[in-house]
Amino acid sequence: MKKVWSMFMLLAVCLVACTNIDDLEDDVDALKKRVTALETQVRDINSNTEALRELYNEGTFITNIEEKSDSYTLTLSNGKTVNLYMKNDNNLLCPIIGIDSEGYWTVLYNKNETPERLTVNGQPVKANGESGKTPTFNVDSEGYWQVSYDGGKHYSYIYKEGTTDKVSATGDGSAPTEDKNFKSVIVENNELVLVLAGEDAPTIRIPIVSDFECSFAAEDLKQVQEFSAGEVKEFTMTVRGVENTMITAPEGWSAKFSKEAGKENVLVVTAPVSSAKMMTRATADNSTDIAVLATSGKYAMIAKIQVSIKNRTDYKADFDNGKDITIGGITINNQIYSDADIQILDATDADVALDTYFSATMSKPVILFLTGTAHNFTTAGVKSISNDVIIIGQYDDEQVTLRPANCWKSCKGKLLLKNIKIDLSDLDGVASNTGYFINNAGVASSGDFTDICFDNCLIANVLKPIYYDAAQKGYFGINNISVQDTRIEVNAIKIALINIYKGFNLGDYKTFNFKNNIVYSQTPQEGVQILNWATGNIPLSDGVLSAEIINNTFVNMVGSNIFFRYQKGTSLTISKNIFDVSPEAEFGSYYYSFLESCTPQIDVTDNIVYGLTKNWNYYHTGSQVKEPASSNNITKHATAPITQYDYVNGIFTLASDVAGYGATIE
């Protein structure tokens, strides 16, 4: 109605010449009221038109009716809610919309006239059926009624019958003497009886079946429900008086009512488990319906929601198109790796072995794009990495599973993993030297192996260190270790995730970044360490490590063996983390310890701790660095920083009072 308001504002400007300011103000107020009345009337007419169209559909019935002073709010068997407005503003000339006995739209806009059919190109317009259209009304900037049959994209004027005179919305003395949109609207014998305006207008009777309903919550109907591939969502429906149901879902989708006690009215919807064969970027934008047909005696209703697969990132397509892909702060693209051996591997139909892609004599980098979640990607024997190895889950909405049976030896190059579930279950019971996921037993020269990065991964069933320094003088360390946006499920006590053990060549370890990760166990795990170096060997080079442990969530991880323990370093930041442990756990916990004298930059004070029967401490008593100097004890958070614990999926809902702390992984 901006156009209407603009029209009246122009009239108001013309009144500036008035000498009586009070009169001018009165005129402006009157114009404002007229604009408001027009806006309301356009709303009411369009609402009534939509309501008539819905009520005229064969098989429609009402499940709930709410009577108001000037309207009825009707809940229909198709789940829609419509409003019938009863009165027009008698000071305005407003079309009264109806449907004649043959199902055509009619309009009445002058007194002493009979309703006439609305036409498009001279042809009458049906209210429903294949050729049915729903008119939408508007008032133009000059105050004339317009009608659209394409949802408001294109409007045409309404003309007085047999003339080329436009119908005014502001009244000319010819407004209908009756100010009602309908002759009558009454409820009788479990029916809504709607008598339309105009001579010989039909009477519409719609059954009211108040004890029968099958519908989705209004919030679920407002927008398309987006799913990730393979995601499961639950929708609580209103179900009353239903005798039978039939559910339809698009190909690849599953929809069924829960069989869990107390959740009989919960519809469980599962999205397709996407793979390169099933889902593409082209289909990802298409939404479709899940429908529940419910019957009760002679009545039936259909409840629908729209569902779609979220728009997906295809990392292989991005790579082919020259886009940058970042993994733990390292950028890769098809220019940097123009000579790489690039493979797309699919585990939809069977396990896929990766053994052939790794060796001690790799001539070129290897980039593996993996898809398919039905089976695993495996390695059998000990694998040597002697060039850059980059492994990426091809689609951002599915995490494929990598399941090694023996360790990977870091010899030369780098290892980058993105969007991968790494299941370490098969390493349990494997001899110590080959029971770690990554072992530096092959690093023969300083600087040969530069990076290990985990980015947006899930590392499951951690029973031994993820990375292990073999602690021999001839083996060298790794410049950069990065873990970010990753869930780590720990199932062992007294374990160091990154275990440099008694390494000799500490000068090779330069940066350690551990950011926005969730490390968790269902029960408190004693002695868990994020990074560890233990005394026992005299290092050949002193540590120069710069470490950042920022915005992580640790659940039931107890640093009784010190979370971060190292020889020497240049800086240590432990900040914005949440440490949540059962209040009954009978342990103390320590953030850090430097075992030899050094002067690193220290920032370890801005964290949240909760639980334990004993103290949380900044530093271990044996640390040669003791900051903050004022106090070693950390004040516990008064209430649990986590409100919901989902150990199966590694999802932990943070309390509102800890905003800015902990991990934010979708």
Side-chain angles (χ1 to χ4, degrees):
M1 292 304 299
K2 291 183 177 178
K3 292 182 178 179
V4 177
W5 177 242
S6 298
M7 175 188 68
F8 287 118
M9 286 303 295
L10 287 173
L11 291 174
V13 171
C14 295
L15 296 174
V16 173
C18 295
T19 57
N20 191 322
I21 301 300
D22 291 338
D23 289 345
L24 176 60
E25 291 178 348
D26 290 343
D27 289 340
V28 172
D29 288 342
L31 289 170
K32 288 182 178 179
K33 290 178 181 178
R34 181 62 64 85
V35 170
T36 301
L38 275 171
E39 290 175 339
T40 301
Q41 203 64 62
V42 170
R43 179 208 65 183
D44 293 355
I45 290 171
N46 288 327
S47 179
N48 286 346
T49 304
E50 174 64 21
L52 283 175
R53 187 187 68 81
E54 293 291 342
L55 293 171
Y56 199 73
N57 285 330
E58 186 176 355
T60 296
F61 58 89
I62 299 169
T63 61
N64 187 63
I65 183 168
E66 180 182 358
E67 185 174 359
K68 302 177 182 178
S69 60
D70 64 342
S71 65
Y72 288 93
T73 299
L74 311 176
T75 303
L76 307 182
S77 54
N78 60 7
K80 294 183 178 180
T81 299
V82 296
N83 292 299
L84 285 176
Y85 292 93
M86 306 311 299
K87 289 192 174 185
N88 285 325
D89 187 328
N90 210 21
N91 295 312
L92 301 174
L93 181 58
C94 302
I96 296 178
I97 305 303
I99 301 173
D100 66 17
S101 57
E102 297 181 34
Y104 291 99
W105 288 110
T106 66
V107 60
L108 173 67
Y109 42 75
N110 283 330
K111 64 181 180 180
N112 302 321
E113 293 185 358
T114 58
E116 65 179 64
R117 289 177 174 176
L118 288 171
T119 60
V120 177
N121 298 324
Q123 298 299 314
V125 182
K126 279 279 190 181
N128 60 14
E130 292 184 2
S131 61
K133 301 179 184 294
T134 303
T136 302
F137 293 87
N138 181 51
V139 178
D140 77 351
S141 60
E142 296 179 350
Y144 293 103
W145 285 105
Q146 297 176 307
V147 63
S148 170
Y149 297 100
D150 57 8
K153 295 179 181 178
H154 303 92
Y155 282 94
S156 58
Y157 287 102
I158 297 174
Y159 297 98
K160 296 179 181 180
E161 187 174 11
T163 74
T164 57
D165 297 333
K166 302 174 184 176
V167 177
S168 173
T170 58
D172 57 2
S174 60
T177 54
E178 287 289 328
D179 63 350
K180 295 181 178 180
N181 282 313
F182 310 98
K183 284 185 178 180
S184 67
V185 180
I186 60 174
V187 176
E188 62 178 19
N189 299 325
N190 292 322
E191 288 184 323
L192 179 70
V193 183
L194 185 64
V195 182
L196 304 184
E199 295 183 9
D200 300 323
T203 298
I204 300 177
R205 296 179 176 271
I206 308 98
I208 301 172
V209 187
S210 58
D211 57 351
F212 173 39
E213 184 177 2
C214 181
S215 62
F216 289 96
E219 290 299 314
D220 296 331
L221 300 174
K222 287 183 179 180
Q223 58 188 10
V224 177
Q225 302 295 322
E226 288 191 329
F227 288 69
S228 298
E231 185 177 4
V232 180
K233 290 186 178 183
E234 295 184 346
F235 300 90
T236 300
M237 303 184 65
T238 299
V239 180
R240 295 184 289 112
V242 174
E243 296 176 358
N244 296 289
T245 59
M246 184 175 68
I247 303 171
T248 59
E251 184 178 0
W253 292 78
S254 169
K256 56 186 178 181
F257 281 106
S258 174
K259 294 183 179 179
E260 185 177 341
K263 300 178 70 174
E264 292 83 359
N265 295 343
V266 174
L267 189 70
V268 182
V269 179
T270 306
V273 177
S274 68
S275 70
K277 295 180 179 179
M278 294 184 63
M279 302 297 298
T280 66
R281 186 183 292 272
T283 61
D285 295 331
N286 296 332
S287 61
T288 188
D289 291 338
I290 288 181
V292 181
L293 171 63
T295 60
S296 177
K298 66 179 181 179
Y299 296 109
M301 66 172 64
I302 297 177
K304 294 181 180 180
I305 54 170
Q306 284 193 301
V307 295
S308 70
I309 295 290
K310 293 178 182 177
N311 287 335
R312 1 172 45 203
T313 298
D314 183 338
Y315 291 114
K316 176 60 166 59
D318 286 352
F319 183 86
D320 291 342
N321 292 328
K323 293 184 179 181
D324 291 344
I325 300 173
T326 302
I327 306 176
I330 296 173
T331 297
I332 72 164
N333 55 47
N334 60 7
Q335 290 80 42
I336 298 172
Y337 286 97
S338 58
D339 63 336
D341 178 13
I342 301 170
Q343 301 287 334
I344 300 176
L345 304 175
D346 190 346
T348 298
D349 299 323
D351 286 355
V352 177
L354 304 181
D355 299 75
T356 58
Y357 298 102
F358 310 144
S359 74
T361 57
M362 297 172 63
S363 60
K364 61 176 65 177
V366 171
I367 303 178
L368 305 179
F369 293 96
L370 309 183
T371 186
T373 59
H375 297 271
N376 301 321
F377 296 89
T378 65
T379 56
V382 175
K383 300 291 119 184
S384 293
I385 299 174
S386 59
N387 210 314
D388 291 4
V389 172
I390 302 167
I391 303 176
I392 301 174
Q394 182 173 349
Y395 301 108
D396 70 333
D397 61 353
E398 66 174 17
Q399 273 195 343
V400 302
T401 300
L402 172 65
R403 191 159 178 156
N406 283 280
C407 78
W408 293 6
K409 293 170 59 176
S410 55
C411 300
K412 185 179 290 186
K414 54 175 67 84
L415 175 63
L416 311 179
L417 299 105
K418 186 180 183 72
N419 192 34
I420 304 290
K421 176 183 177 181
I422 306 164
D423 186 346
L424 302 181
S425 300
D426 291 346
L427 296 179
D428 187 28
V430 177
S432 59
N433 287 338
T434 56
Y436 312 111
F437 178 36
I438 305 167
N439 192 323
N440 81 335
V443 183
S445 301
S446 179
D448 278 354
F449 207 95
T450 59
D451 302 272
I452 293 177
C453 298
F454 300 90
D455 189 330
N456 189 32
C457 292
L458 165 61
I459 307 176
N461 297 308
V462 176
L463 301 160
K464 295 179 179 180
I466 298 169
Y467 169 79
Y468 183 77
D469 188 316
Q472 295 187 31
K473 292 183 179 181
Y475 296 153
F476 291 79
I478 296 170
N479 296 164
N480 170 56
I481 299 174
S482 176
V483 184
Q484 68 177 44
D485 305 330
T486 291
R487 290 179 169 86
I488 302 175
E489 179 195 34
V490 177
N491 288 326
I493 64 172
K494 299 181 179 180
I495 182 174
L497 303 179
I498 306 299
N499 195 0
I500 300 174
Y501 189 46
K502 301 177 181 180
F504 286 92
N505 292 296
L506 297 182
D508 284 340
Y509 295 99
K510 294 180 172 59
T511 59
F512 175 67
N513 294 302
F514 198 87
K515 299 179 179 179
N516 200 48
N517 305 296
I518 300 174
V519 189
Y520 62 99
S521 173
Q522 189 161 354
T523 57
Q525 299 289 11
E526 176 190 1
V528 174
Q529 297 177 284
I530 304 168
L531 182 144
N532 175 63
W533 180 82
T535 57
N537 293 330
I538 299 174
L540 299 178
S541 57
D542 286 336
V544 294
L545 187 67
S546 176
E548 292 186 323
I549 302 171
I550 299 174
N551 272 116
N552 304 283
T553 301
F554 299 93
V555 183
N556 283 331
M557 299 289 106
V558 183
S560 53
N561 279 356
I562 315 166
F563 285 122
F564 178 91
R565 181 167 65 180
Y566 205 59
Q567 182 233 15
K568 297 179 179 180
T570 60
S571 67
L572 172 63
T573 300
I574 302 177
S575 179
K576 300 295 184 179
N577 302 286
I578 293 174
F579 299 86
D580 182 308
V581 184
S582 168
E584 288 77 35
E586 297 181 353
F587 304 103
S589 190
Y590 306 89
Y591 279 173
Y592 77 92
S593 180
F594 285 102
L595 299 180
E596 296 185 21
S597 180
C598 55
T599 56
Q601 293 182 337
I602 296 287
D603 179 9
V604 297
T605 59
D606 192 15
N607 301 278
I608 289 173
V609 300
Y610 175 79
L612 298 182
T613 60
K614 300 181 180 179
N615 288 338
W616 290 89
N617 306 278
Y618 290 111
Y619 50 84
H620 190 267
T621 53
S623 178
Q624 299 303 302
V625 177
K626 293 180 169 52
E627 294 186 29
S630 58
S631 174
N632 192 29
N633 290 340
I634 306 170
T635 302
K636 298 178 185 179
H637 200 66
T639 57
I642 297 172
T643 58
Q644 293 183 347
Y645 299 79
D646 180 354
Y647 294 101
V648 174
N649 299 297
I651 298 174
F652 304 93
T653 304
L654 302 183
S656 59
D657 63 344
V658 298
Y661 294 82
T664 54
I665 305 176
E666 293 185 358

